[in-house]
Amino acid sequence: MKIDTDNLTVASAMRHLRAGDFSARELTEAYLKNIEERDRDIHAYLEIFDDAIEFARAADVKIKKGEAGVLAGIPMAVKDNMLVEGKYATAASKILKNYRSTYDATAVKKIKDAGAVMLGRTNMDEFAMGSSTESSAYGITRNPRDESRVPGGSSGGSAAAVSMGGVLAALGSDTGGSIRQPASFCGVVGLKPTYGSVSRHGLIAMASSLDQIGPLAKTVEDAELVFNVIKGFDRYDSTSFPEDMYHAKNAQVAAGKHTIGIPADFLSVGGIDAQVLESFNRSVGALKDAGNEIREIALPHAKHALAAYYIIMPAEVSANLARFDGVRYGLYNSGADLATDYASTRARGFGDEVRRRILLGTYVLSSGYYDSYYGTANIVRDMVASDFRDAFKIVDVIAVPTAPTFAFKIGEKNNNPLQMYLEDIFTVPANIAGIPAISIPSGSIEINTKLIPIGMQFMAPHLREDILFAIGKDVEAVRS
Ligand code: GLN
């Protein structure tokens, strides 16, 4: 059977592999060929693993024996901030240029154990700080839908890899929107799971109280399949919670149609592109016509989540990145004494955005400022979480645009950090509250004969990814 990667999904590839229509090896070769043809222009990948075919061969043996795991033979890619044993992991930073992982991140181990073919590692903003993948120390990634535009970020390489047909699904990480915003820009599905549902063991930490690993894929069904493989308790991550908590929650699944909350107050913050808003309203209308109930709700503090995020996140960044001192990991620059070693290694190893955040973080944590910045931001964090608790008493899910804009031009915001930070306005609240959120392709606009994708975001109560998948499938149904 001829492999048509344009129309293949994780779910359909699984069926074909099990039916013997093609082998994991043939499937892997088809994706490697796509990468060879397209990635020269896109640069979604930082590295293609030279043993990808070995993974495929092993999967073929298992499939033949009937011992295949859930993802057996499925080509997958991982963002360059997740450890894959024996491979480089740089977080797209010069400071980790030659760093090799000594073990697998738990999420990586889980997809490997399920039989996934590890194709390679994908580009990202340095240490996951950014919304465009332009802050990578190893070159930019282009948006496969329009190469003059960014793919979003920071998981821009993962989103672009899926979007260009360079892999079937990928893992990304999301601290303030880094899975959902690139998914929206590249026309794919991206899930940020509930904080604590996927282990962060082996994820190079950005802001530990916000970071979460999740899938990027072409369909909601595929994202769900991958999520079910990577979630679960891990004794190496004390913030991960036991599997049975899901069963307790999912037992209460609301049958049938959903009540969708629209936070009118939050949507009136300004700065939303008119076409994005129009597309969002059209999608909400279609969901209503399909039998869902639409209810206006209030999230009075959500508009302050961004300000709180840009205090809490850099504070945690400054602590987490202190370990990159030239002694323990990666780059080492020798100076006159130890203090100079540290300073010169860090000055050479970190890019501008990373340095900006470390400086901000140490400032907001410094004595005399701690209470007024970090303390206040944490109070705002509680208020945002409490807004969500109130809202979820009356609605099943909350819908907002994923990002205020569609994919912008390369270079357009790169020298304007504030503009870049505003990209995160609609994604950050879910991280601040720890709730799950998904971005689904919901429309597109035509610019110069190119169809630029627009995504729509849904947020659900803690552990209720099931609702996000159900509503996501509704969106896919009304879209086509
Ligand atoms: N764009 C956001 C930031 O720059 C989100 C990053 C992320 O989720 N890793 O902080």
Side-chain angles (χ1 to χ4, degrees):
M1 177 180 161
K2 191 176 157 3
I3 302 179
D4 171 16
T5 52
D6 283 349
N7 291 308
L8 218 50
T9 61
V10 173
S12 69
M14 268 163 46
R15 285 193 293 274
H16 287 304
L17 286 165
R18 280 180 175 63
D21 296 334
F22 46 71
S23 66
R25 192 194 163 121
E26 288 165 326
L27 183 63
T28 302
E29 278 165 354
Y31 279 95
L32 291 174
K33 185 161 171 278
N34 285 356
I35 293 167
E36 205 181 302
E37 281 167 9
R38 298 177 197 164
D39 207 38
R40 218 183 315 250
D41 298 327
I42 304 299
H43 191 48
Y45 283 94
L46 290 177
E47 180 186 354
I48 303 298
F49 297 146
D50 53 12
D51 54 354
I53 286 292
E54 303 303 319
F55 282 100
R57 241 189 240 131
D60 277 330
V61 171
K62 289 208 163 162
I63 292 170
K64 272 220 181 79
K65 282 196 199 151
E67 291 169 1
V70 181
L71 296 172
I74 301 298
M76 286 191 67
V78 296
K79 186 175 177 176
D80 191 33
N81 60 353
M82 277 167 242
L83 307 191
V84 182
E85 193 181 336
K87 309 289 187 201
Y88 291 111
T90 72
S93 179
K94 270 196 252 170
I95 209 157
L96 282 174
K97 188 162 181 219
N98 293 315
Y99 176 74
R100 269 188 203 270
S101 308
T102 51
Y103 62 93
D104 280 328
T106 299
V108 169
K109 180 157 191 333
K110 286 187 171 209
I111 59 169
K112 274 186 178 176
D113 287 348
V117 173
M118 307 297 290
L119 270 199
R121 54 190 177 94
T122 54
N123 201 11
M124 56 185 281
D125 282 297
E126 184 179 3
F127 281 104
M129 300 174 195
S131 301
S132 67
T133 314
E134 290 167 296
S135 79
S136 167
Y138 303 107
I140 61 164
T141 296
R142 293 176 184 274
N143 190 317
R145 302 294 178 93
D146 177 345
E147 290 175 22
S148 68
R149 294 175 190 275
V150 301
S154 63
S155 314
S158 287
V162 174
S163 170
M164 74 180 190
V167 79
L168 270 169
L171 297 184
S173 68
D174 190 312
T175 305
S178 279
I179 290 175
R180 291 160 286 161
Q181 185 255 20
S184 159
F185 279 18
C186 291
V188 302
V189 174
L191 169 75
K192 183 208 85 79
T194 306
Y195 182 79
S197 60
V198 179
S199 168
R200 290 177 293 109
H201 177 63
L203 169 70
I204 297 173
M206 177 181 166
S208 307
S209 78
L210 301 157
D211 297 343
Q212 197 55 195
I213 293 174
L216 292 108
K218 279 154 88 173
T219 64
V220 173
E221 184 185 20
D222 286 1
E224 184 176 2
L225 277 165
V226 176
F227 171 65
N228 283 329
V229 170
I230 61 175
K231 72 173 193 204
F233 176 73
D234 179 10
R235 68 191 183 95
Y236 297 117
D237 177 356
S238 58
T239 62
S240 68
F241 44 70
E243 195 87 7
D244 49 6
M245 284 181 70
Y246 270 97
H247 301 312
K249 292 274 185 181
N250 290 0
Q252 316 152 14
V253 170
K257 300 298 175 187
H258 295 97
T259 308
I260 305 172
I262 309 291
D265 53 351
F266 187 29
L267 290 177
S268 65
V269 287
I272 310 184
D273 177 273
Q275 284 165 294
V276 169
L277 192 59
E278 196 188 305
S279 163
F280 174 77
N281 289 333
R282 209 178 312 122
S283 303
V284 171
L287 286 169
K288 184 172 182 209
D289 293 343
N292 295 286
E293 187 191 334
I294 309 296
R295 241 172 118 159
E296 191 174 313
I297 55 155
L299 292 175
H301 304 96
K303 57 175 173 293
H304 303 304
L306 188 73
Y309 171 83
Y310 275 94
I311 301 287
I312 295 167
M313 173 272 297
E316 295 186 21
V317 159
S318 70
N320 274 328
L321 271 59
R323 74 189 67 167
F324 302 104
D325 55 9
V327 178
R328 281 170 286 195
Y329 303 92
L331 186 74
Y332 170 61
N333 212 32
S334 173
D337 51 28
L338 190 60
T340 332
D341 287 3
Y342 289 163
S344 65
T345 299
R346 288 164 70 82
R348 271 188 54 187
F350 289 139
D352 288 349
E353 186 57 31
V354 173
R355 278 196 260 177
R356 186 178 291 127
R357 294 190 194 202
I358 292 172
L359 287 171
L360 252 173
T362 46
Y363 179 77
V364 300
L365 290 176
S366 55
S367 119
Y369 295 105
Y370 184 95
D371 285 338
S372 50
Y373 288 108
Y374 191 66
T376 311
N378 272 310
I379 293 169
V380 173
R381 185 174 195 167
D382 287 344
M383 290 162 110
V384 172
S386 124
D387 279 1
F388 281 115
R389 273 196 296 278
D390 290 344
F392 288 131
K393 285 179 192 148
I394 52 173
V395 296
D396 301 316
V397 282
I398 295 170
V400 290
T402 305
T405 68
F406 48 86
F408 45 90
K409 292 271 190 183
I410 291 166
E412 192 179 322
K413 299 189 188 213
N414 210 14
N415 295 318
N416 190 338
L418 264 187
Q419 276 294 318
M420 197 70 96
Y421 298 169
L422 282 169
E423 272 298 306
D424 307 329
I425 182 110
F426 295 124
T427 44
V428 147
N431 302 78
I432 287 286
I435 58 174
I438 196 167
S439 176
I440 323 268
S442 56
S444 54
I445 51 163
E446 196 180 322
I447 304 176
N448 297 334
T449 73
K450 300 218 159 85
L451 285 179
I452 314 295
I454 296 179
M456 163 175 207
Q457 182 185 200
F458 295 92
M459 297 178 268
H462 289 97
L463 299 159
R464 298 311 302 272
E465 281 82 357
D466 59 325
I467 304 179
L468 297 180
F469 298 136
I471 194 89
K473 287 170 193 168
D474 280 357
V475 175
E476 290 177 333
V478 299
R479 189 185 60 206
S480 44

